[in-house]
Amino acid sequence: MAPAEGAECRRSAMVASRLELNLVRLLCRCEAMAAEMRDPEEWRLEKYVGALEDMLQALKAQASKPASEVISEYSRKVDFLKGMLQAEKLTSSSEKALANQLLAPGRVPTTARERVPATKTVHLQSRARYASEMRSELLGTDSAGEPALDVRKRAGVAGPRPGDEKQSAAELDFVLQRHQDLQEKLAEEMLGLARSLKTNTLAAQSIIKKDNQTLSHSLKMADQSLEKLKTESERLEQHTQKSVNWLLWAMLIIVCFIFISMILFIRIMPKLK
């Protein structure tokens, strides 16, 4: 990695942990390698991406992990690099192009020097390369863009034979049919996903509607119970007040009766000598 690029990576992860700093550095390195033309037998990028996955899992398990948006962006870039490597292993250029279209590059630059995310640049480069390979297969050209018929002529072939033309037409029809089948398969999968999403949405809407009805009924019952409780509390208070009044009057009457009885008893009974 260049010193300037390493410095930018360090500045972007100034407040990050050591693990996150190492992850950002390795991610910068992987993005730079993915943007370069690599040998088909190159194995370091795949190993680096595997190490990125392990470091990302360890970063998610940390107590002082970054914000969820940062973790999501790291995961998005690592998944893109992993999917790009898997797409390169496919045999057909149409399959590579289809797999490349399903990849989602990062949205935020890894370093401050990048105006556009490096993964997005790699995505556009790979898309253009796979489109060129598909065009070469459809037109029957070699890797240099020259027609295969001219190559045969320079190799000493006198001219095209009818059998070769039929074979080339059959191969072209086969490639076009395969590409069309892949597109139809993708369209069917997207249609199935749309139907599943619609079914899940309707089910969720029905459940939410039932929950709202249950909640409304519960609130109504709670209001009725509160009104009944208030009424019964008022009745109990009135009954308590009435009971206290009757008891007070009864005690006063008893005290007065005892007082008068004592006076009469003293007056009537003779005094003891």
Side-chain angles (χ1 to χ4, degrees):
M1 183 185 297
E5 186 176 357
E8 293 295 337
C9 290
R10 286 193 293 274
R11 283 195 292 270
S12 65
M14 187 178 300
V15 296
S17 62
R18 182 179 297 274
L19 179 60
E20 185 180 1
L21 180 61
N22 294 333
L23 187 142
V24 172
R25 288 175 175 173
L26 185 57
L27 184 58
C28 293
R29 179 59 177 164
C30 290
E31 290 174 349
M33 291 181 64
E36 300 172 354
M37 293 297 295
R38 301 185 311 280
D39 188 84
E41 298 181 357
E42 175 65 39
W43 55 269
R44 290 181 298 172
L45 181 57
E46 187 173 358
K47 296 296 182 181
Y48 289 167
V49 172
L52 277 177
E53 291 181 330
D54 297 337
M55 295 170 67
L56 183 60
Q57 294 299 326
L59 185 63
K60 291 179 180 179
Q62 276 190 345
S64 59
K65 60 183 179 181
S68 58
E69 294 81 4
V70 179
I71 293 290
S72 178
E73 184 64 22
Y74 289 157
S75 301
R76 189 182 184 92
K77 292 180 180 180
V78 173
D79 291 340
F80 170 80
L81 293 173
K82 184 178 178 181
M84 186 194 68
L85 292 175
Q86 292 176 353
E88 290 178 353
K89 294 179 181 179
L90 298 175
T91 56
S92 174
S93 59
S94 58
E95 294 178 354
K96 293 180 180 180
L98 182 60
N100 181 263
Q101 290 178 1
L102 299 178
L103 296 178
R107 301 180 224 179
V108 181
T110 306
T111 63
R113 295 178 57 191
E114 299 176 0
R115 295 184 179 179
V116 179
T119 51
K120 188 173 184 180
T121 304
V122 174
H123 189 220
L124 295 175
Q125 291 176 352
S126 58
R127 179 184 297 179
R129 184 170 67 253
Y130 295 148
S132 177
E133 291 179 2
M134 287 181 60
R135 184 167 57 252
S136 299
E137 287 184 1
L138 293 175
L139 298 178
T141 57
D142 58 1
S143 58
E146 299 178 353
L149 183 59
D150 295 340
V151 175
R152 294 194 194 99
K153 285 182 177 180
R154 288 196 298 270
V157 180
R161 293 177 296 179
D164 295 338
E165 292 181 355
K166 291 181 180 179
Q167 184 177 1
S168 300
E171 292 177 354
L172 178 61
D173 293 339
F174 176 75
V175 172
L176 292 175
Q177 183 65 33
R178 187 171 184 180
H179 186 64
Q180 184 177 359
D181 293 340
L182 288 174
Q183 289 183 344
E184 291 178 356
K185 184 178 180 181
L186 181 60
E188 290 177 358
E189 291 179 356
M190 294 179 64
L191 183 60
L193 290 175
R195 289 175 179 173
S196 178
L197 180 61
K198 182 179 179 180
T199 303
N200 295 335
T201 303
L202 293 176
Q205 183 179 1
S206 176
I207 293 173
I208 293 173
K209 186 176 180 181
K210 291 181 180 179
D211 291 342
N212 289 333
Q213 292 177 354
T214 304
L215 181 60
S216 300
H217 181 69
S218 300
L219 291 175
K220 185 177 180 181
M221 294 296 294
D223 293 336
Q224 293 179 357
S225 300
L226 183 60
E227 291 294 334
K228 290 182 179 179
L229 180 60
K230 186 177 180 181
T231 303
E232 294 297 330
S233 298
E234 292 176 355
R235 289 179 59 187
L236 180 59
E237 185 178 358
Q238 293 176 0
H239 180 70
T240 304
Q241 291 177 356
K242 290 180 181 179
S243 301
V244 171
N245 291 335
W246 280 106
L247 182 61
L248 180 61
W249 283 107
M251 292 297 294
L252 288 175
I253 292 173
I254 292 173
V255 170
C256 293
F257 177 75
I258 293 174
F259 180 73
I260 294 173
S261 300
M262 290 297 296
I263 292 176
L264 292 177
F265 180 76
I266 293 172
R267 292 290 184 181
I268 295 174
M269 294 299 294
K271 294 182 178 179
L272 296 176
K273 294 182 179 181

